[in-house]
Amino acid sequence: MANQLGQTGEKVARNYLKKQGYKILEKNFRCSIGEIDIIAQDKSTIVFIEVKTRRSNLIQPFESVGFKKQEKLRSLAEYYLQEKDYLDKEVRFDILSIIYNNQGQQIEHLKDAF
């Protein structure tokens, strides 16, 4: 279960994505492998989105999505695509970073992050 900061960040991320024209398909999609924060559709592309929320920008949130996490997200995506019979769809992996600091809230959207 996500902590309060994480839950707030995911809500901000969903609102941001909707304003960008994305259709939210799933939030916190869970299966035996793990969880994907947001699954959305950007035109004809299925987008798997990892949301990282922090109170400081000493380490950029997207830096915490290393190789192991990327591999896990790929496995989760494959499971989801098979489950929904979306194997013919184009896919993309994005990271959405949200940082809360003295300047307020900063959002950085890395499309096709890996």
Side-chain angles (χ1 to χ4, degrees), residues 7-113:
Q7 289 174 354
T8 301
E10 287 179 16
K11 186 174 182 180
V12 167
R14 288 192 302 273
N15 290 334
Y16 166 84
L17 291 165
K18 287 177 190 173
K19 287 178 185 170
Q20 301 299 313
Y22 288 64
K23 178 182 176 190
I24 305 298
L25 302 175
E26 304 272 351
K27 60 179 186 172
N28 305 112
F29 174 80
R30 288 183 181 87
C31 69
S32 59
I33 302 168
E35 178 183 322
I36 297 177
D37 295 331
I38 299 172
I39 302 171
Q41 190 169 345
D42 180 20
K43 298 180 182 77
S44 63
T45 303
I46 303 295
V47 187
F48 298 92
I49 303 159
E50 179 70 9
V51 179
K52 291 295 180 187
T53 310
R54 300 286 186 268
R55 291 195 191 279
S56 160
N57 60 356
L58 292 175
I59 297 175
Q60 293 300 313
F62 60 84
E63 291 178 42
S64 64
V65 183
F67 181 76
K68 276 185 150 181
K69 181 68 172 182
Q70 291 174 20
E71 287 299 304
K72 187 173 188 175
L73 290 169
R74 284 187 181 98
S75 296
L76 284 159
E78 191 174 317
Y79 177 93
Y80 176 82
L81 294 168
Q82 287 178 353
E83 180 96 350
K84 301 294 182 180
D85 198 23
Y86 286 164
L87 294 173
D88 59 337
K89 300 276 187 185
E90 204 174 303
V91 300
R92 190 176 81 216
F93 294 89
D94 291 5
I95 301 172
L96 220 154
S97 299
I98 301 167
I99 299 173
Y100 291 97
N101 58 24
N102 320 21
Q103 289 83 40
Q105 170 186 294
Q106 297 173 309
I107 298 173
E108 184 178 359
H109 185 181
L110 295 176
K111 293 183 181 183
D112 207 10

